[in-house]
Every structure is written in C-alpha cells, then in structure tokens.
Amino acid sequence: MDQAFKTMKESKVEEVCSTADVIFSTLPTQDGHFIGRVTLNCEAALNALNLDMVSAMLAQLTRWKNDPELVCILLEGAGDKAFCAGGDVRAIYQAGIKAPNAINPEALRFFEQEYRLDYLLHRFEKPVIIWGDGIVMGGGLGLMMGGSHRIVTERSRIAMPEVTIGLYPDVGGSYFLNRMPGKIGLFLGMTAYHMNDADARYVNIATHCLASQDKATMLDALQALQWQQTNSTQHHSMLNTFFEHYQTPVNKLSRLQQHQDMIDSLMAGSLDEIVNRVKQLDTEAQWLQRAIQSLLKGSPLSWCLIYAQSQLSEKLTLADIFQFELGLSVNCSAYGDFKEGVRALLIDKDRNPKWQFLEFSVDCERAASRLLTSPWKDEPHPLRDLAVATKNEYV
C-alpha cells in the first residue's frame, strides 16, 4: 500500500456517533468511494441490542442505502468476545412486569424496529459484510443472516437459545432455519446447540471463514479494491472472489454434518414422538448430552412454538415471516413463558423457571395455538408496509 493511500485513509475517515452504544464511521476506498462501518459498542453486555441501537442503525442504513458513494456495509462488534449476544431482553422483561397479561407497547416497539432492521439488511442491494467473530446469538444471528457476506472465525460460537427463556428462534429464524439440511433447523431451535465455524459453513449461516487475526488485513484489502465503474451486482461478485482468496480453510469437520442422519432421526415425527425419543436417548457424547439437557430444561410451550415454526411453508416470503414473528413475539412477551424465563436466567438467576406447563400436553398445544394467533387479526398489521413479494434473500 503506497504512502498516498495511507495519508488518504488517515485524513478522510469520518465518524458519526448516533448513540454511545453503536458507532457509525466510514472507510475511504482507494478509488474515491467509501465503506460504511457499523460497530456495536456495548462490549460489557456482549454487544446486545437495545432499542436505541436498533433505531440508530435503521436510520443510518436507510441513509446509506441511497448514497451513491457508498459501496458496501461492514457490521462488527466491539471487542473480541462477541459480535452480538442477542437483544436486551431485560428491558422487555421490565416493561412487561409493569403491564402483566397485556401486549406491552415497549415490547412491540422493540420487536418491530428490530425486524425492520433485519429486513432492511436482507433487502440491502449493496453488499453487507458481517464480521461474526465470537458469540453470535439470538438477535445477533438476525443481523448476521441479513448479510450478503457472512464471515465467521475460529472463535465464533453461534446459537439460537430462545427455548431456555420461553421464547422461540425469531429474527427471521422461521425463514432460515427451515432452509437448513434435513431437520437441523428444528434441532438447533429445540436444543440451543452452539455451532462453531465448520457448523456455520455447513448450514449456510456463514458464507466464508477467516482467521480472527486477519481482520485488519481484510479491511485494508477491502479499501484497496477497485469499486469504480461497477454496480451492486458486480460488487457482490467481486467480493465473492475476494473472500474466496482470503478465506481460511476449516480443518475440522462439522459435527452437524457428521451426525446429520442421527439428528434427522431424532427430530422426526410429531412433537410428542420427538420429546419421548429425546427422553429415552442414551448417549455418551457430551455435546449431545448438553443439547438434550437444554431441550428438556426449556419451556414446553416453546417446544410447541418451535415445532409449529418448523412446519411453516417455504413459500412464505421474508415479509410474511417477519409479520408472523412480530405477532408471535409480542404474544410471548405478554402471555407466554418469556417473562418467567428471563427472570430465572437473567434477573434472579436462580435457573429454576416455573414454566406454565411441566410437560408437553394437549393443554400446552392449545396455549401455543393462542400465541400463534395474530393480535392484529382484525386490524392493520404494524409491518403491513413490508414488500408483499420478497426475493429469496437467503443464499
């Protein structure tokens, strides 16, 4: 890299901080354009998302989307422990305690804004690079799946652990989990299994793997690319070639891939059959023991929701999915096991939730059916403005 480019980098980097918890900055390219850089800046909270962060990102990305000088987005987390460990469920819990057994406006506002942000990322025509280093869970995975180029490292640990707090894998999970090989999506939702980089590549959560130490080199190389005289489609193609060149081979096998047949058999049939099969499973594999333990300690109401989620038609568009999930999420925060799950795991930390149902049952299924019913059945949906026809963004 020549000295002129180094001087250009130092003089033109611009930082716009909309909230202390998320930083927006720009990286100049060698040919006169810029890369929009978004840094989740809540390192102490593992970069968990709060409403201010979500709103700020939604506003800034909307501006950048229409800026002709912007060529791509880079989304990352501060520190080396996490990209994003999820959403600020404590805030939703506190709001829900103030208004028990009713849909809380704060919960609705958070989920609506979060899903709008995720949808915007999926529909962003320009490339979106996600640096998924460290912990990527819940809402963090929602952000990641909106990226066109989803990078994991040897430190990545990825999961959808909502069953442990009485929720279900939202943020588009109803879309991307159902497009994974065999029954793996259902397995991930039911067990909160932690994926590594090899697993993430196998199920197409990640598009490429890089070494965590190579981030600075990657940023310099991105700025040196020739973005001039090309459109977004060509930029996507150029980045595909770029990451194929820079990516690090994954030397370990994916555990999910190795045990695909076993997972498919374990998750086959009705929910009642799955639960009984899991209870009778005798295994010495520690990874599977942990997964089964998480399932059995999770909310039976969540089992029903996750199973119902796995039965959704693949013909549903991403807009359909986010509309469905918004209704289910606000219902869960008002009437489901969500508040009790958050209380036990994050507030009182006694890890002894008192779920509404001790076991899977017909009554549990009926309660889940009520949660699956849209609260806006007879009135306009808050996300009605999302596109009716959605391309297949998940690639």
Side-chain angles (χ1 to χ4, degrees), residues 149-386:
H149 296 79
R150 305 181 291 274
I151 313 303
V152 292
T153 76
E154 77 284 355
R155 300 189 302 201
S156 296
R157 292 296 177 267
I158 304 168
M160 296 294 281
E162 287 80 4
V163 68
T164 63
I165 58 168
L167 201 57
Y168 69 100
D170 64 326
V171 293
S174 307
Y175 193 87
F176 59 79
L177 290 176
N178 288 349
R179 286 160 173 77
M180 291 179 178
K183 297 288 186 179
I184 284 181
L186 178 58
F187 176 80
L188 295 177
M190 294 285 279
T191 66
Y193 169 81
H194 286 208
M195 291 172 277
N196 61 19
D197 50 348
D199 292 324
R201 286 289 283 123
Y202 176 60
V203 301
N204 205 21
I205 281 176
T207 59
H208 298 89
C209 299
L210 270 70
S212 58
Q213 65 185 15
D214 290 342
K215 183 180 181 181
T217 301
M218 176 195 75
L219 293 178
D220 286 343
L222 284 171
Q223 290 178 266
L225 285 175
Q226 294 300 311
W227 301 90
Q228 195 82 23
Q229 304 299 325
T230 55
N231 57 35
S232 293
T233 300
Q234 292 168 316
H235 289 168
H236 280 276
S237 179
M238 181 174 67
L239 284 179
N240 289 341
T241 302
F242 171 85
F243 283 115
E244 287 295 332
H245 173 73
Y246 277 94
Q247 74 175 348
T248 303
V250 178
N251 296 320
K252 52 184 173 290
L253 292 174
S254 162
R255 187 177 283 147
L256 295 177
Q257 184 175 11
Q258 287 178 286
H259 299 283
Q260 175 79 66
D261 292 343
M262 181 275 294
I263 291 171
D264 290 347
S265 297
L266 190 64
M267 294 286 119
S270 67
L271 179 57
D272 190 36
E273 290 172 327
I274 292 171
V275 172
N276 287 331
R277 190 180 299 121
V278 165
K279 288 180 177 178
Q280 296 169 15
L281 184 66
D282 184 15
T283 178
E284 295 182 0
Q286 291 187 357
W287 71 272
L288 187 54
Q289 289 176 359
R290 288 192 295 270
I292 296 308
Q293 187 177 45
S294 294
L295 187 158
L296 295 178
K297 286 186 175 181
S299 161
L301 193 52
S302 289
W303 300 345
C304 295
L305 299 177
I306 296 166
Y307 185 79
Q309 180 183 33
S310 74
Q311 304 301 302
L312 292 174
S313 170
E314 289 190 13
K315 293 182 180 180
L316 292 175
T317 67
L318 194 59
D320 295 332
I321 289 296
F322 280 124
Q323 289 167 359
F324 160 77
E325 289 185 353
L326 182 61
L328 181 53
S329 295
V330 297
N331 280 343
C332 285
S333 63
Y335 313 115
D337 277 337
F338 174 74
K339 287 196 290 287
E340 176 59 14
V342 174
R343 180 207 66 76
L345 186 66
L346 300 174
I347 306 300
D348 297 336
K349 299 182 180 179
D350 58 30
R351 295 185 176 272
N352 186 31
K354 302 296 189 292
W355 304 126
Q356 294 182 37
F357 301 92
L358 298 178
E359 297 281 350
F360 170 74
S361 64
V362 173
D363 288 340
C364 184
E365 278 191 306
R366 288 174 182 153
S369 180
R370 290 192 290 272
L371 295 178
L372 288 160
T373 302
S374 173
W376 305 289
K377 198 173 181 180
D378 301 316
E379 56 185 292
H381 195 288
L383 294 178
R384 61 189 177 277
D385 58 310
L386 297 187

